[in-house]
Amino acid sequence: MSVVELNNKGDAKCKLSEIPLLPREHRLFHKNCVYIVTGGLTGLGFETVKFIALRGGGHIVILSRRSPTPEMKQEIDSVKKQSGAVIEALQCDVSVSEQVEEVMGIIRQRFPSCPVKGVFHSAVVLRDGIIENLSRTLYEEVMKPKINGALNLHHATKHCNLEYFVCYSSVASFLGNASQSNYAAANSFLDIFCHYRRHLGLAAQSINWGALNIGLLLNKDHIRKILETRGLMLLELNEIVQSLQDCLLLNKPQQLICKFNFKNLGSNIFSQNVSLGLRLASLVEEKLGNSKEPEAIFERPNQSPSIFVRSVLSETLEITPEEVTEGTHLSALGMDSMLAMTLQNLFSAKRAVTIPLIKFLDPNSTVGTLVRVLNQPAKV
């Protein structure tokens, strides 16, 4: 696992292990203080609620657009009993300034003697799609919770003497993602905004999380396999909790928490983004050794394009080759953006052919569409 401090350009500066940690007995949270967690009813948000409660945080307010389900209420009650913390869930769309101001007033009324000491901004909306298919509406849906939410929380808590203003960003903000340009842009804002708050003398940390085995990705073996081919390994819950604690103790403006398979990363993401590979060159060299990796050896086209395409699809989707014909629509095989990027990488690595993502995601594309691309003469 690689835990890296980033500067305001997103470049790797040094490993966290080279930065002295605060003493482990340093108390992260206090019993008589309030800690706000946005998006705290699911995934990383709820794990953060548990993290705070089990480490002494006495009062936790969850902000979410939705009310907790009966199952989630039971989970919250379980954390209350285990930790003794007061946990309240308030309905609030943090992208709407009036709602944030209103809920801050409610918090002051309910906990008049408890100052707000921390904000953990975990709100997120995903609307995937390649950039050609993304409308302004789809950009705004993804950006509002993160960007408007961060700004509204910033203005609503400027008068508070915060110890934490933590924004949960993503590795996508600097690795990029062809089907999540809206998500990458929103997270890039959080990164820069935390540096801006630091320049104002205010608390701020942006944590660029990698792939996590919680929430939407929990035990999704198919997605795990796709991510691993791109060089991204899933972080398990114990790694997430330990990394969050390290980040809070170190208190740097921007830190990356991600587990990489550097060989796969080099042959996929770095091969398609040379400048990114150069920016992280020192980290990659340390993990792989100073000796240069042998150049990629492309699979020779000893199979016909038709057999090759069908075999790649059958292996990736774990189906028999007989289930794939040239007339099979890719959409019928469950094609999505993650699978499209995986297949794009495999075709590039094995045949040195880069097929545009739109070819995989077009609802009219068939297996035969990919075969025809491979049959086209190489451009010199």
Side-chain angles (χ1 to χ4, degrees):
M1 180 173 64
S2 294
V3 183
V4 181
E5 180 195 356
L6 305 174
N7 62 21
N8 60 3
K9 295 181 181 179
D11 296 331
K13 290 175 63 180
C14 56
K15 291 194 311 179
L16 293 187
S17 59
E18 296 172 353
I19 307 171
L21 294 173
L22 291 176
R24 286 291 173 181
E25 61 271 16
H26 175 77
R27 192 171 183 82
L28 289 173
F29 306 106
H30 305 281
K31 188 175 182 179
N32 64 338
C33 296
V34 176
Y35 300 92
I36 297 171
V37 182
T38 72
L41 293 180
T42 58
L44 185 57
F46 188 63
E47 292 301 332
T48 301
V49 171
K50 292 193 288 186
F51 178 89
I52 297 170
L54 296 175
R55 285 162 180 75
H59 302 81
I60 303 167
V61 176
I62 299 170
L63 302 185
S64 175
R65 291 180 301 162
R66 299 176 180 84
S67 298
T69 63
E71 294 77 16
M72 181 50 63
K73 286 180 180 178
Q74 289 182 353
E75 296 241 19
I76 292 173
D77 288 340
S78 175
V79 177
K80 286 181 180 179
K81 291 178 183 178
Q82 188 177 358
S83 65
V86 175
I87 304 175
E88 291 203 27
L90 300 179
Q91 209 164 345
C92 175
D93 184 345
V94 293
S95 69
V96 181
S97 59
E98 292 82 5
Q99 291 191 30
V100 174
E101 291 293 343
E102 182 181 353
V103 84
M104 290 300 296
I106 294 172
I107 292 171
R108 286 191 291 269
Q109 289 176 359
R110 294 192 182 178
F111 309 108
S113 60
C114 299
V116 175
K117 281 294 182 180
V119 172
F120 290 77
H121 185 33
S122 181
V124 61
V125 170
L126 294 175
R127 292 290 183 268
D128 291 5
I130 59 175
I131 193 167
E132 292 92 338
N133 296 338
L134 289 176
S135 64
R136 177 171 179 168
T137 299
L138 291 176
Y139 265 91
E140 290 180 348
E141 279 189 60
V142 172
M143 289 181 158
K144 280 182 178 180
K146 285 186 174 286
I147 296 177
N148 291 20
L151 290 171
N152 291 335
L153 292 165
H154 164 72
H155 290 299
T157 60
K158 279 196 298 186
H159 66 283
C160 303
N161 184 23
L162 295 182
E163 293 180 348
Y164 305 111
F165 189 97
V166 182
C167 292
Y168 285 168
S169 180
S170 166
V171 67
S173 72
F174 66 95
L175 283 187
N177 188 325
S179 64
Q180 291 184 331
S181 59
N182 47 6
Y183 181 66
N187 284 301
S188 293
F189 173 86
L190 295 183
D191 300 339
I192 298 300
F193 184 67
C194 285
H195 285 279
Y196 166 74
R197 277 184 56 97
R198 284 295 186 100
H199 284 302
L200 296 179
L202 301 173
Q205 295 186 58
S206 181
I207 301 178
N208 296 91
W209 290 103
L212 312 177
N213 193 23
I214 56 176
L216 293 175
L217 299 183
L218 180 63
N219 299 326
K220 298 291 194 306
D221 291 337
H222 176 61
I223 296 178
R224 178 194 293 266
K225 181 178 178 182
I226 291 172
L227 290 170
E228 287 181 0
T229 63
R230 302 189 68 224
L232 300 175
M233 314 293 285
L234 290 186
L235 285 161
E236 301 301 330
L237 182 57
N238 64 313
E239 297 172 311
I240 296 167
V241 170
Q242 183 61 56
S243 297
L244 177 56
Q245 179 167 302
D246 288 346
C247 282
L248 297 183
L249 288 169
L250 286 162
N251 192 26
K252 299 294 179 180
Q254 185 182 1
Q255 293 162 105
L256 164 69
I257 308 296
C258 193
K259 186 157 61 173
F260 292 124
N261 178 317
F262 282 95
K263 288 184 178 179
N264 289 354
L265 195 71
S267 62
N268 289 285
I269 295 174
F270 288 167
S271 67
Q272 297 171 20
N273 190 332
V274 176
S275 63
L276 179 63
L278 292 173
R279 285 165 58 193
L280 299 181
S282 59
L283 181 63
V284 175
E285 286 177 5
E286 178 186 329
K287 294 298 180 182
L288 294 181
N290 293 324
S291 60
K292 292 184 178 180
E293 289 288 298
E295 293 184 4
I297 300 175
F298 297 114
E299 182 177 305
R300 300 302 175 190
N302 51 358
Q303 291 178 314
S304 72
S306 179
I307 294 175
F308 170 74
V309 170
R310 289 169 59 202
S311 69
V312 169
L313 288 171
S314 63
E315 289 174 13
T316 305
L317 297 170
E318 297 181 349
I319 57 179
T320 63
E322 290 73 25
E323 295 178 68
V324 183
T325 69
E326 289 200 24
T328 303
H329 280 80
L330 298 181
S331 58
L333 299 175
M335 187 65 61
D336 57 20
S337 57
M338 294 288 289
L339 179 56
M341 285 186 291
T342 299
L343 292 171
Q344 184 188 53
N345 291 332
L346 288 171
F347 278 62
S348 177
K350 293 177 178 293
R351 285 291 176 97
V353 174
T354 300
I355 300 178
L357 284 175
I358 189 64
K359 291 288 187 182
F360 295 100
L361 298 172
D362 187 330
N364 296 315
S365 289
T366 64
V367 174
T369 303
L370 304 181
V371 173
R372 287 190 291 276
V373 172
L374 289 186
N375 273 324
Q376 292 174 358
K379 295 182 179 179
V380 180

